[in-house]
Each structure stands twice: as structure tokens, then as C-alpha cells.
Amino acid sequence: MATKFFISTSKNEGTAKINVRFQRRTPQINYKIATPLKVDIKVWGNSLKGKTQSDNFRKDYPDLVNKMDAIKSALDATLDNETPISLDDFKKIVNSIIYKEEREAEQKRQEEEREALRKANQMTLEKYMDIFLQGIESGEIRQAKNKPYTYNSIRNIRSFCNKFREFQTASKRKYDFADMNKDFERAFNKFLNPCKPNTLAGHYKHLKSILRKASEENFDGVSINPYFEKFDSSFSDVENIYLTIEDLQALQSIDLSGVHQHFSIARDLFLIMVWSCQRVSDLSKICVPAHIKRSSIQLVENGAIVDKELTTIVFKQQKTNRKAIIPVNSHLKALLEKYEYNIPQMAEQKINDYIKEVAKMAGLNEVVLLDGVEYQKWECVSNHTGRRTGCTLMYLSGMDPYDICKVSGHSDIKMLEKYIKASELEQSEKLAVRYREYFK
């Protein structure tokens, strides 16, 4: 009763397959199977001549001997069972040991395939950024109070996502949900440097919006590092300029006939933003016929009552969806009539580029100090300067801040104050004129 190994061949040299025989006396069984294990015929015959030769064989062919020992141990262990193993069980035991490496390799391959498939299907931060963008563009993903994302917000979020991908490329690694930690923050800040504080805050604001929305989705296998809530997305008040009436007159009077018409168009669009107190994103709404209201009012001039025609432009702003009510003054009216109430369109960045050059040509060379750095005024002129200038000039004219908000569309006085850029001296002069009886 034992497990034995033998070869069956008529050849004297070459290789032969090793056979396994398993025998049991009670109840009697005699199983035999040819294995795929091969051995040199002469080496095998020599190993059977004595203990020394057998020991040498075991030493020289450890892999083969280990398999044979494992088969013998597994089969002999069944001898204590009252019920003998079947022929199929005998074959399964032998083959499970012989093909152990192949089976383990196949299992590993299958596990690797499953893991690769899991990773391919698992949500990543980069994948979710694309889903988030598609969602806000389609309106499926909305802001608080079910507000849709505006065109400008979508553009800014897309810009952040592109910057995030640039950062990954430069870092030569992928950042995922679990990587939103202090190390990421340091690396991202370093990549963006130099970067204005509010620009950096804007990037983190968009990233936090994406991560918060992803948290709501509860994706399988996704763990979002809660540290992301510590990313600084707070905006600070920044120093900016506004243009005086004299600056605006210089812009208006400069002869641009010798340069491309884009300079003149950019100048006019900028002045429209000044006199309407609107953003560049709302320029296309100003001349929509349905937004233009005409009426008559009575005013007292030189002691006489006169009828005056009033043109008012009313629409909901693109960025905030707040209503703007704009009484059209003579400056704005002249600009709109110049284009027959069909003002041309120009890309925001192009307006920025051209208006700086126009301001330079107009001689706006006054030195201004912003955040401790000296600039010539023309260098600081941008689209935003137009709306800011309009709000500041209305304030300096003595207009009630609540009325300014109705024109500009600001939600409250606090928001408006960020736009008013009058100097301390100008504010003092305004107070002295308005309350001259007190300050006389």
C-alpha cells in the first residue's frame, strides 16, 4: 500500500514521462496515471541503484522531487479514510499538484484582468471633472437653490479643469480623490505661482464644488480626502483703478482713424460698459429690442416744465440673473445710436488687449500704486474697469447707493462697495458738497 513513481519505456536514453501508481489493500484499489512530468531515462535508472544515487537525484532535481513528494503526501493522507478515493479524485489530486504553478499563474492573470477592469470602470477625479462639465453645460448639475450655471461660470470651471490637467502633466502623475491633501495643495500652489490671490481662490472654489458634488454621488470604491474643505477659496478685496471723467474724455476724443477699426470698436464697447455699469457678458443684451423701453417724463428746467423722452434698458444679467434697470444717459445714447442699436461683438480678451492700447495712446500715463507696485494707469485698464468706473462715477455724483444697485444689478450695498474705487479725498469732497451746510 503506497504511492509509487515509475517510468514505462523501451528506450535506453532520452526522456520519459513519470507515472504515478496508488495502491490500497483494503478495500483494494490500484490506480495509475501518466503525468506530464518528464525525466532523463538514464538519470532515473541511476537514482534507483541506492541511497547515495537517490540522494543525489533529489539534490540535482529539487523542483521535480518537490512535486513528487507533494503528490505522495497528498495521496498517502487518504489511506486513513474508511472510504477510498475514486479514480477521478486520484487524478484531481495528482493534477492539482502538477499544474499548481500554471493554475496560480492563471489565477493571478485573471485577478490582474479583474483589477484592470475595476480600475477602468472606477470613477477617478479626472473622469468626474469631465462628467461635471457635461452636467453643468446640460443643466443636469445645478448650483444651490437649483440655479443653473452661467456661461461665465462654465467657462471658468472649464479653464480650471484645463489648468488641473496641465498641473498633472507637469507633475508627471495623476491626482485622485484620495490625494486631495496638504501635499497636493503645496504642489498646486507652487505650480500656479506666480498667481494672483483671487485667481488661486477661484481655482480652489471650482475644485471644491467638483469634490462636493462627487461626494454626493457615493461612487463605489471612491474615498475623498476630507482635507479638501481646508483649501483656501476665500476672495479678498483687491486694489483696482477707475477712470475719471477726464480720462474718459481722453479716450473718447482720441483719433483712431489711423489704426485698425478694432481699436475704435473696443473703445466704444468699453465706454458702453462704463455708462451702463454692465459686464462684458451683458453687452449682447443691451440692444435687444424687447429690452429697450421708451417713455416720457416731465422735468423742471429754468422754471418751466418740459417733457423729456426717457430710454430705459431692462434685462436679467447673465452672470447673476439679477435685473438691471438702466436709464440711458446722453453718453450711452450717442454710442448706441452710432451703431443704430446694433453694437458689434468682440471677444472679451480682445477688448482687454485693445482697450489697454487705446488707453496708452490716450495718454493715461498717471502712475498708480496697486498692491505696493507702481504701474502706469493704462496698464491697469481692462473690461472690469468699465463697470467699476460707471459705479464709482455714479457714487461720486451723489447718487444713492441703493439706486446704483438697481442700475448695476448688485445684490446689496456691501457688494457694490467693492466696486466703488473713489479715493478718500474724492469721498471727502463728495460729502463736503452733499452736506455743505454742515461742513461750511
Side-chain angles (χ1 to χ4, degrees), residues 169-203:
T169 300
S171 303
K172 296 181 180 179
R173 63 161 291 184
K174 297 287 186 181
Y175 283 86
D176 213 339
F177 293 109
D179 301 319
M180 297 294 100
N181 52 27
K182 185 66 177 178
D183 291 337
F184 162 79
E185 187 179 23
R186 289 196 194 99
F188 195 49
N189 289 353
K190 183 178 181 181
F191 170 75
L192 293 173
N193 186 52
C195 179
K196 293 180 180 180
N198 281 355
T199 301
L200 184 62
H203 285 318

Short mmCIF file of all heavy atoms in Angstrom, two decimals, residues 169-203:
data_model
loop_
_atom_site.label_atom_id
_atom_site.label_comp_id
_atom_site.label_asym_id
_atom_site.label_seq_id
_atom_site.Cartn_x
_atom_site.Cartn_y
_atom_site.Cartn_z
N THR A 169 0.24 66.99 -15.86
CA THR A 169 1.28 66.73 -16.87
C THR A 169 2.63 67.19 -16.37
O THR A 169 3.63 66.47 -16.50
CB THR A 169 0.92 67.44 -18.18
OG1 THR A 169 -0.34 66.96 -18.66
CG2 THR A 169 1.99 67.18 -19.24
N ALA A 170 2.66 68.38 -15.80
CA ALA A 170 3.93 68.92 -15.28
C ALA A 170 4.44 68.09 -14.11
O ALA A 170 5.65 67.92 -13.93
CB ALA A 170 3.74 70.38 -14.85
N SER A 171 3.51 67.54 -13.31
CA SER A 171 3.89 66.74 -12.14
C SER A 171 4.24 65.31 -12.50
O SER A 171 4.77 64.57 -11.67
CB SER A 171 2.75 66.74 -11.11
OG SER A 171 2.40 68.05 -10.74
N LYS A 172 3.86 64.90 -13.72
CA LYS A 172 4.09 63.53 -14.19
C LYS A 172 3.41 62.50 -13.28
O LYS A 172 3.96 61.43 -12.97
CB LYS A 172 5.59 63.23 -14.30
CG LYS A 172 6.30 64.08 -15.34
CD LYS A 172 7.77 63.73 -15.45
CE LYS A 172 8.46 64.60 -16.50
NZ LYS A 172 9.89 64.30 -16.61
N ARG A 173 2.19 62.84 -12.84
CA ARG A 173 1.41 61.90 -12.04
C ARG A 173 -0.05 62.31 -12.08
O ARG A 173 -0.39 63.43 -12.48
CB ARG A 173 1.88 61.87 -10.58
CG ARG A 173 1.72 63.18 -9.82
CD ARG A 173 1.76 62.98 -8.31
NE ARG A 173 0.59 62.27 -7.82
CZ ARG A 173 0.37 62.03 -6.52
NH1 ARG A 173 1.23 62.45 -5.62
NH2 ARG A 173 -0.72 61.39 -6.14
N LYS A 174 -0.91 61.37 -11.72
CA LYS A 174 -2.35 61.62 -11.67
C LYS A 174 -2.76 61.85 -10.21
O LYS A 174 -2.34 61.11 -9.32
CB LYS A 174 -3.13 60.43 -12.23
CG LYS A 174 -2.86 60.14 -13.69
CD LYS A 174 -3.49 61.18 -14.60
CE LYS A 174 -3.35 60.79 -16.06
NZ LYS A 174 -3.92 61.81 -16.96
N TYR A 175 -3.56 62.87 -10.00
CA TYR A 175 -4.09 63.13 -8.66
C TYR A 175 -5.54 62.68 -8.62
O TYR A 175 -6.33 63.05 -9.49
CB TYR A 175 -3.98 64.61 -8.33
CG TYR A 175 -2.58 65.04 -7.94
CD1 TYR A 175 -1.66 65.41 -8.92
CD2 TYR A 175 -2.19 65.06 -6.61
CE1 TYR A 175 -0.37 65.79 -8.57
CE2 TYR A 175 -0.91 65.44 -6.25
CZ TYR A 175 0.00 65.80 -7.23
OH TYR A 175 1.28 66.18 -6.89
N ASP A 176 -5.87 61.89 -7.59
CA ASP A 176 -7.22 61.35 -7.48
C ASP A 176 -7.90 61.90 -6.23
O ASP A 176 -7.33 62.71 -5.49
CB ASP A 176 -7.18 59.83 -7.46
CG ASP A 176 -8.41 59.21 -8.12
OD1 ASP A 176 -9.44 59.91 -8.23
OD2 ASP A 176 -8.34 58.04 -8.53
N PHE A 177 -9.11 61.43 -5.97
CA PHE A 177 -9.90 61.92 -4.84
C PHE A 177 -9.14 61.81 -3.52
O PHE A 177 -9.19 62.71 -2.70
CB PHE A 177 -11.21 61.13 -4.74
CG PHE A 177 -12.15 61.37 -5.88
CD1 PHE A 177 -12.38 60.37 -6.83
CD2 PHE A 177 -12.81 62.57 -6.02
CE1 PHE A 177 -13.26 60.59 -7.88
CE2 PHE A 177 -13.70 62.79 -7.06
CZ PHE A 177 -13.92 61.80 -8.00
N ALA A 178 -8.45 60.69 -3.33
CA ALA A 178 -7.75 60.46 -2.05
C ALA A 178 -6.51 61.33 -1.90
O ALA A 178 -5.96 61.44 -0.80
CB ALA A 178 -7.37 58.98 -1.93
N ASP A 179 -6.07 61.95 -3.00
CA ASP A 179 -4.84 62.74 -2.97
C ASP A 179 -5.06 64.21 -2.63
O ASP A 179 -4.14 65.01 -2.69
CB ASP A 179 -4.13 62.66 -4.33
CG ASP A 179 -3.79 61.24 -4.70
OD1 ASP A 179 -3.35 60.49 -3.82
OD2 ASP A 179 -3.96 60.87 -5.89
N MET A 180 -6.31 64.57 -2.30
CA MET A 180 -6.60 65.97 -2.02
C MET A 180 -6.18 66.35 -0.60
O MET A 180 -6.98 66.53 0.31
CB MET A 180 -8.10 66.24 -2.22
CG MET A 180 -8.58 66.02 -3.65
SD MET A 180 -7.87 67.22 -4.82
CE MET A 180 -6.53 66.25 -5.56
N ASN A 181 -4.87 66.46 -0.41
CA ASN A 181 -4.31 66.69 0.91
C ASN A 181 -3.37 67.90 0.89
O ASN A 181 -3.31 68.64 -0.09
CB ASN A 181 -3.57 65.44 1.39
CG ASN A 181 -2.55 64.95 0.36
OD1 ASN A 181 -2.03 65.73 -0.43
ND2 ASN A 181 -2.28 63.66 0.36
N LYS A 182 -2.65 68.07 1.97
CA LYS A 182 -1.74 69.22 2.11
C LYS A 182 -0.63 69.17 1.07
O LYS A 182 -0.22 70.21 0.54
CB LYS A 182 -1.15 69.24 3.52
CG LYS A 182 -0.28 70.45 3.83
CD LYS A 182 -1.09 71.73 3.84
CE LYS A 182 -0.24 72.93 4.23
NZ LYS A 182 -1.01 74.19 4.19
N ASP A 183 -0.14 67.97 0.77
CA ASP A 183 0.93 67.85 -0.24
C ASP A 183 0.44 68.31 -1.61
O ASP A 183 1.17 68.99 -2.34
CB ASP A 183 1.41 66.40 -0.32
CG ASP A 183 2.16 65.97 0.93
OD1 ASP A 183 2.69 66.86 1.62
OD2 ASP A 183 2.22 64.76 1.21
N PHE A 184 -0.80 67.93 -1.96
CA PHE A 184 -1.36 68.40 -3.23
C PHE A 184 -1.47 69.92 -3.22
O PHE A 184 -1.12 70.58 -4.21
CB PHE A 184 -2.74 67.80 -3.45
CG PHE A 184 -3.56 68.55 -4.48
CD1 PHE A 184 -3.34 68.37 -5.83
CD2 PHE A 184 -4.53 69.47 -4.08
CE1 PHE A 184 -4.07 69.09 -6.77
CE2 PHE A 184 -5.26 70.18 -5.00
CZ PHE A 184 -5.03 69.99 -6.36
N GLU A 185 -1.95 70.47 -2.12
CA GLU A 185 -2.14 71.92 -2.03
C GLU A 185 -0.82 72.66 -2.25
O GLU A 185 -0.75 73.64 -3.00
CB GLU A 185 -2.73 72.28 -0.67
CG GLU A 185 -3.13 73.73 -0.52
CD GLU A 185 -3.73 74.01 0.84
OE1 GLU A 185 -3.47 73.24 1.79
OE2 GLU A 185 -4.47 75.01 0.96
N ARG A 186 0.24 72.18 -1.60
CA ARG A 186 1.55 72.81 -1.77
C ARG A 186 2.01 72.72 -3.22
O ARG A 186 2.51 73.70 -3.79
CB ARG A 186 2.58 72.12 -0.87
CG ARG A 186 2.41 72.38 0.62
CD ARG A 186 3.69 71.98 1.35
NE ARG A 186 3.47 71.91 2.79
CZ ARG A 186 3.25 70.79 3.46
NH1 ARG A 186 3.18 69.64 2.82
NH2 ARG A 186 3.09 70.81 4.78
N ALA A 187 1.87 71.53 -3.81
CA ALA A 187 2.34 71.32 -5.18
C ALA A 187 1.54 72.17 -6.17
O ALA A 187 2.11 72.76 -7.11
CB ALA A 187 2.24 69.84 -5.55
N PHE A 188 0.23 72.25 -5.98
CA PHE A 188 -0.63 73.03 -6.88
C PHE A 188 -0.32 74.52 -6.75
O PHE A 188 -0.25 75.24 -7.76
CB PHE A 188 -2.10 72.76 -6.56
CG PHE A 188 -3.05 73.22 -7.63
CD1 PHE A 188 -2.84 72.91 -8.96
CD2 PHE A 188 -4.17 73.96 -7.30
CE1 PHE A 188 -3.72 73.33 -9.95
CE2 PHE A 188 -5.07 74.39 -8.27
CZ PHE A 188 -4.83 74.08 -9.59
N ASN A 189 -0.13 74.99 -5.52
CA ASN A 189 0.23 76.40 -5.31
C ASN A 189 1.56 76.73 -5.99
O ASN A 189 1.71 77.78 -6.62
CB ASN A 189 0.33 76.71 -3.82
CG ASN A 189 -1.02 76.72 -3.13
OD1 ASN A 189 -2.05 76.63 -3.79
ND2 ASN A 189 -1.02 76.81 -1.82
N LYS A 190 2.51 75.82 -5.87
CA LYS A 190 3.83 76.03 -6.47
C LYS A 190 3.72 76.07 -7.99
O LYS A 190 4.36 76.90 -8.66
CB LYS A 190 4.79 74.93 -6.04
CG LYS A 190 6.21 75.10 -6.56
CD LYS A 190 7.12 73.99 -6.04
CE LYS A 190 8.54 74.17 -6.55
NZ LYS A 190 9.43 73.09 -6.06
N PHE A 191 2.89 75.19 -8.55
CA PHE A 191 2.71 75.16 -10.00
C PHE A 191 2.09 76.46 -10.50
O PHE A 191 2.46 76.98 -11.55
CB PHE A 191 1.82 73.98 -10.37
CG PHE A 191 1.36 73.97 -11.80
CD1 PHE A 191 2.23 73.63 -12.83
CD2 PHE A 191 0.06 74.33 -12.13
CE1 PHE A 191 1.81 73.63 -14.15
CE2 PHE A 191 -0.38 74.33 -13.44
CZ PHE A 191 0.51 73.98 -14.45
N LEU A 192 1.12 77.01 -9.76
CA LEU A 192 0.41 78.20 -10.19
C LEU A 192 1.19 79.49 -9.93
O LEU A 192 0.85 80.54 -10.46
CB LEU A 192 -0.95 78.29 -9.49
CG LEU A 192 -1.96 77.22 -9.87
CD1 LEU A 192 -3.19 77.32 -8.97
CD2 LEU A 192 -2.37 77.34 -11.33
N ASN A 193 2.21 79.43 -9.08
CA ASN A 193 2.98 80.61 -8.75
C ASN A 193 3.78 81.12 -9.96
O ASN A 193 4.42 80.33 -10.66
CB ASN A 193 3.94 80.29 -7.60
CG ASN A 193 4.68 81.51 -7.09
OD1 ASN A 193 4.08 82.52 -6.77
ND2 ASN A 193 6.00 81.41 -7.04
N PRO A 194 3.79 82.43 -10.29
CA PRO A 194 3.06 83.50 -9.60
C PRO A 194 1.59 83.53 -10.04
O PRO A 194 1.29 83.34 -11.21
CB PRO A 194 3.78 84.77 -10.05
CG PRO A 194 4.30 84.43 -11.41
CD PRO A 194 4.64 82.96 -11.39
N CYS A 195 0.73 83.75 -9.08
CA CYS A 195 -0.71 83.76 -9.35
C CYS A 195 -1.37 84.73 -8.38
O CYS A 195 -1.05 84.74 -7.19
CB CYS A 195 -1.27 82.35 -9.17
SG CYS A 195 -3.04 82.20 -9.44
N LYS A 196 -2.27 85.55 -8.89
CA LYS A 196 -2.97 86.49 -8.03
C LYS A 196 -3.80 85.72 -7.01
O LYS A 196 -4.37 84.67 -7.33
CB LYS A 196 -3.86 87.42 -8.86
CG LYS A 196 -3.08 88.37 -9.75
CD LYS A 196 -4.01 89.28 -10.54
CE LYS A 196 -3.22 90.23 -11.41
NZ LYS A 196 -4.11 91.12 -12.21
N PRO A 197 -3.89 86.23 -5.77
CA PRO A 197 -4.61 85.51 -4.71
C PRO A 197 -6.04 85.13 -5.09
O PRO A 197 -6.49 84.02 -4.81
CB PRO A 197 -4.58 86.50 -3.53
CG PRO A 197 -3.36 87.33 -3.77
CD PRO A 197 -3.25 87.46 -5.26
N ASN A 198 -6.75 86.03 -5.74
CA ASN A 198 -8.15 85.73 -6.07
C ASN A 198 -8.25 84.73 -7.21
O ASN A 198 -9.24 84.00 -7.32
CB ASN A 198 -8.90 87.01 -6.41
CG ASN A 198 -9.30 87.78 -5.17
OD1 ASN A 198 -9.10 87.32 -4.05
ND2 ASN A 198 -9.87 88.96 -5.35
N THR A 199 -7.24 84.71 -8.09
CA THR A 199 -7.21 83.70 -9.15
C THR A 199 -7.03 82.31 -8.52
O THR A 199 -7.71 81.34 -8.89
CB THR A 199 -6.09 83.97 -10.14
OG1 THR A 199 -6.28 85.26 -10.73
CG2 THR A 199 -6.05 82.92 -11.25
N LEU A 200 -6.11 82.24 -7.55
CA LEU A 200 -5.87 80.98 -6.84
C LEU A 200 -7.13 80.55 -6.07
O LEU A 200 -7.53 79.39 -6.11
CB LEU A 200 -4.71 81.14 -5.87
CG LEU A 200 -4.26 79.90 -5.10
CD1 LEU A 200 -3.78 78.82 -6.07
CD2 LEU A 200 -3.16 80.26 -4.11
N ALA A 201 -7.77 81.51 -5.42
CA ALA A 201 -9.00 81.21 -4.67
C ALA A 201 -10.09 80.70 -5.61
O ALA A 201 -10.85 79.79 -5.26
CB ALA A 201 -9.48 82.46 -3.94
N GLY A 202 -10.15 81.27 -6.81
CA GLY A 202 -11.14 80.82 -7.79
C GLY A 202 -10.92 79.38 -8.21
O GLY A 202 -11.88 78.60 -8.34
N HIS A 203 -9.65 78.99 -8.40
CA HIS A 203 -9.35 77.60 -8.75
C HIS A 203 -9.81 76.65 -7.65
O HIS A 203 -10.43 75.61 -7.92
CB HIS A 203 -7.85 77.43 -8.99
CG HIS A 203 -7.37 78.01 -10.30
ND1 HIS A 203 -8.07 77.86 -11.47
CD2 HIS A 203 -6.27 78.75 -10.60
CE1 HIS A 203 -7.42 78.46 -12.45
NE2 HIS A 203 -6.33 79.01 -11.95
#
